Amino acid sequence: MENLLYFLILFPFGIAALQSVSSNNNLRRAVTYIGTAAIMTAACVFSVWWYRNGAQPLVFLSHTEELDRVMALGEIFLMLLITVLSVKYKKYYAIVLSWVQTCAILWFEFFGGKRLTGFEPSEARHFYVDQLTVIMILIIAIVGTLITVYACGYMVDYHNHHTDFKDRRRFFFSMMYIFIGAMFGLVLSSNLSWMYFFWEITSVISFLMIGYTKTPEAVNNGFKALWMNLLGGCGFCVAIIWLGMRNGIYDIRDLIEYASVHGNQAVVAPVILLAFAALTKSAQMPFSSWLLGAMVAPTPSSALLHSATMVKAGVYLLIRLAPAMQGSNAGHLVALIGGFTFLVASMLAITVTDAKKLLAYSTISNLGLIASCAGLGTTETLWAGIFLLVFHAVSKSLLFQTVGAIENLTGSRDIEDMHSLVIRFPRLAYPLIIGIAGMFLAPFGMLVSKWAALRSFIDADNKLVGITLVLFICYGSATTLFYWAKWLAKILSYKPQSTICTSRINSSQYSSIALHSFAMLFLCILFPIISRDVIIPYLVSIYGTASEVISQGNIFVMMFMLVTVFLIPFLIGFIVHKYPPKKAEVYISGYNYGDDLSFPDAFGNQKRMYLTNWYMNDIFGEKKLFTPSVVISSAGMIIIILFTVGGAF
């Protein structure tokens, strides 16, 4: 079965090669469908086999001298690619960051670093599988590949509407599959140098996908994402060299074991450097702007970045590091940065009308909450963090895909243009409602996980950090409720003269959206099973003990809520369909012109009625809040990193 894991890494690269030469759309679609089916099947077969055979940690792949050389060539290729593109667009700062980290890691691997420590290649085990690995494999294989299916129809509509952009779909689909293959390699890697290699691939691919249209805005936003993630890559690189030279550690599992034996403070400096890399990858403050700029790319790339790849790599690493961060300065830094990001991004989400930008702020916010959970590093917070990761992946992919389909249909992704969507485009409105509900309503796992995180923050050992995080999550959750509720109300609103519109959405888009909708519902049903058979055993393997965070009584309540949440609207819909309500005129100050949309003003002039949400730009809009938040988070991060690293010497 180990061969299935090699297949999951290498097969997407093969599909990417086929996509690069598939100029015919039907051929491209066929390759995508076959690739998706093969990857999903391989991931599910391996997961079932692994659990049926005891779900014991699987460690394999040693003596990789030849593969190490191949990866070194890959790192050199990435460095040269960045150099060429940076010179082309005159973004020379990216060259410096790329050359520094690539030369440093090559020196460490081949020209003295490991030799000075007496490292023997036979000691290494490069791949490692446990419950968290399997969770990530399934997210990448199912959510990630379904997005490629969605892209088959979306990109056709995209270029029909954007005839001024060069059609580069062969490149686009190739990059998506390379992204998926690199993510498989990243989550399977236990060796830090291997993880770093796949980490850098994701940084470069995201840069290329953001710049897909090659407009000045797309190029600038792509380079912003690149230099920020290269900066994080430098931190990753320094941590690898630090751990190897000072502690003889080359594997993330060895890092966790070393911390458990010698205390987390013994490795706090390299851990904080790895956490820094993860925070940049997950677009936490002060590095959030790169993910907002990424919204210029076509929607499938946004869905992939936010759900199954890129930003998920950052929080995945933080969850891996959680035991080594528990109770340390590094953990407190990560928890506070994450909590601060959760609050600020939630507030900023209120002020935007662009649906994709709102989703970007929501991603930044929820990743901040996951980072806080990982930073505290207790069994309860890690339980909440893993569930947040799972539910966020499915929900955010569903939301991005639905918004992209709506944009292709209506020509707008402005929330204010989504009024009466449930009447005009019900086949898209219902999945959008499920996705929004999954982000903030019970019994979906996002809300339950937030509750678990809040309870664990209250019980934190460091009371100052705990109280601060409680304030962040309370106010952040309140603002989260505000922006999701007003969007949901806009979709469900009734506007006179609204009628069902003809939907021209491709079947490939509908199939992916529908499967994501069902996945959200099934995750609620499987919530207790995932907790009992996957998350709790993982926590026991890490901490030696763990208990159920939600009781059986609460699980019963969740199941009851799930039934009522969908049964009651169904019954109401049946009644309305059988006994349609009579239409009545809208009351507008006692007088209107008879069309329910016009009324006379104080001077007798006809005015059109228009209702809009309140976006609070006059109170804390982006121009007022974003820059101060970046300054505050930057200053706090620099002070704590300097204090921590300085104290490690």
Side-chain angles (χ1 to χ4, degrees), residues 266-344:
V267 288
V268 67
V271 166
I272 209 168
L273 288 169
L274 289 171
F276 172 75
L279 292 172
T280 59
K281 183 75 76 173
S282 293
Q284 297 298 283
M285 288 286 180
F287 304 105
S288 302
S289 59
W290 79 256
L291 189 59
L292 299 171
M295 295 305 97
V296 71
T299 298
S301 63
S302 300
L304 197 60
L305 284 171
H306 287 249
S307 62
T309 61
M310 196 57 183
V311 296
K312 286 298 187 293
V315 289
Y316 165 78
L317 178 57
L318 290 176
I319 291 173
R320 281 288 184 206
L321 293 171
M325 291 193 292
Q326 185 180 7
S328 69
N329 293 334
H332 294 156
L333 166 67
V334 170
L336 291 173
I337 289 293
F340 180 74
T341 302
F342 174 67
L343 173 61
V344 172

Side-chain angles (χ1 to χ4, degrees), residues 8 35-45 138 141-143 145-146 149 515:
L8 287 174
T36 296
I39 293 171
M40 291 176 63
T41 301
C44 292
V45 168
L138 291 175
I142 297 174
V143 177
T145 57
L146 282 177
V149 172
L515 288 172

Side-chain angles (χ1 to χ4, degrees), residues 151-201:
C152 289
Y154 175 89
M155 293 305 290
V156 172
D157 292 338
Y158 180 83
H159 281 289
N160 286 339
H161 293 117
H162 298 282
T163 55
D164 51 328
F165 297 152
K166 182 180 179 181
D167 190 339
R168 302 171 63 218
R169 275 179 282 175
R170 289 186 296 177
F171 169 82
F172 187 81
F173 279 85
S174 297
M175 293 301 102
M176 292 183 77
Y177 276 100
I178 292 175
F179 224 148
I180 290 171
M183 276 299 297
F184 279 129
L186 192 154
V187 301
L188 284 166
S189 295
S190 181
N191 181 280
L192 286 168
S193 295
W194 280 41
M195 186 182 290
Y196 167 81
F197 171 69
F198 291 113
W199 185 276
E200 290 306 292
I201 291 178

Side-chain angles (χ1 to χ4, degrees), residues 566-643:
F566 293 98
L567 179 61
I568 292 175
F570 173 79
L571 293 175
I572 293 174
F574 174 78
I575 294 171
V576 170
H577 178 74
K578 191 171 183 179
Y579 306 103
K582 295 181 180 179
K583 181 180 176 183
E585 287 189 356
V586 176
Y587 179 83
I588 310 176
S589 300
Y591 186 78
N592 63 38
Y593 281 106
D595 62 356
D596 292 343
L597 294 174
S598 303
F599 66 96
D601 62 13
F603 296 99
N605 300 317
Q606 183 174 345
K607 295 289 185 181
R608 298 285 290 177
M609 181 182 70
Y610 182 74
L611 298 177
T612 182
N613 281 310
W614 184 27
Y615 290 92
M616 300 186 183
N617 277 297
D618 54 332
I619 302 176
F620 50 81
E622 287 183 293
K623 293 181 179 180
K624 294 183 178 181
L625 186 59
F626 191 86
T627 300
S629 301
V630 169
V631 172
I632 292 171
S633 56
S634 299
M637 181 178 289
I638 291 171
I639 291 171
I640 298 177
I641 288 178
L642 291 177
F643 174 78

Side-chain angles (χ1 to χ4, degrees), residues 100-174:
V100 166
Q101 63 190 60
T102 302
C103 292
I105 202 72
L106 291 177
W107 169 82
F108 177 71
E109 290 287 330
F110 299 103
F111 301 104
K114 283 187 175 180
R115 293 180 183 179
L116 293 175
T117 63
F119 174 75
E120 293 293 336
S122 60
E123 297 173 5
R125 296 294 186 273
H126 293 78
F127 283 165
Y128 178 74
V129 177
D130 62 4
Q131 288 85 353
L132 182 59
T133 311
V134 172
I135 288 172
M136 291 301 299
I137 285 174
L138 291 175
I139 289 175
I140 299 163
I142 297 174
V143 177
T145 57
L146 282 177
I147 293 171
T148 66
V149 172
Y150 167 84
C152 289
Y154 175 89
M155 293 305 290
V156 172
D157 292 338
Y158 180 83
H159 281 289
N160 286 339
H161 293 117
H162 298 282
T163 55
D164 51 328
F165 297 152
K166 182 180 179 181
D167 190 339
R168 302 171 63 218
R169 275 179 282 175
R170 289 186 296 177
F171 169 82
F172 187 81
F173 279 85
S174 297

Side-chain angles (χ1 to χ4, degrees), residues 461-526:
D461 293 334
N462 189 311
K463 295 305 178 184
L464 179 59
V465 173
I467 292 172
T468 305
L469 291 176
V470 167
L471 293 175
F472 283 151
I473 195 173
C474 287
Y475 286 103
S477 296
T479 51
T480 297
L481 173 66
F482 189 90
Y483 67 76
W484 286 127
K486 70 178 182 180
W487 190 1
L488 187 61
K490 198 72 177 178
I491 297 167
L492 296 173
S493 64
Y494 171 76
K495 184 176 181 179
Q497 302 175 348
S498 294
T499 58
I500 296 178
C501 301
T502 303
S503 176
R504 303 180 302 277
I505 295 298
N506 189 283
S507 60
S508 63
Q509 295 177 72
Y510 269 133
S511 61
S512 179
I513 290 171
L515 288 172
H516 276 80
S517 301
F518 285 119
M520 280 298 299
L521 304 181
F522 280 121
L523 277 175
C524 291
I525 297 172
L526 297 175

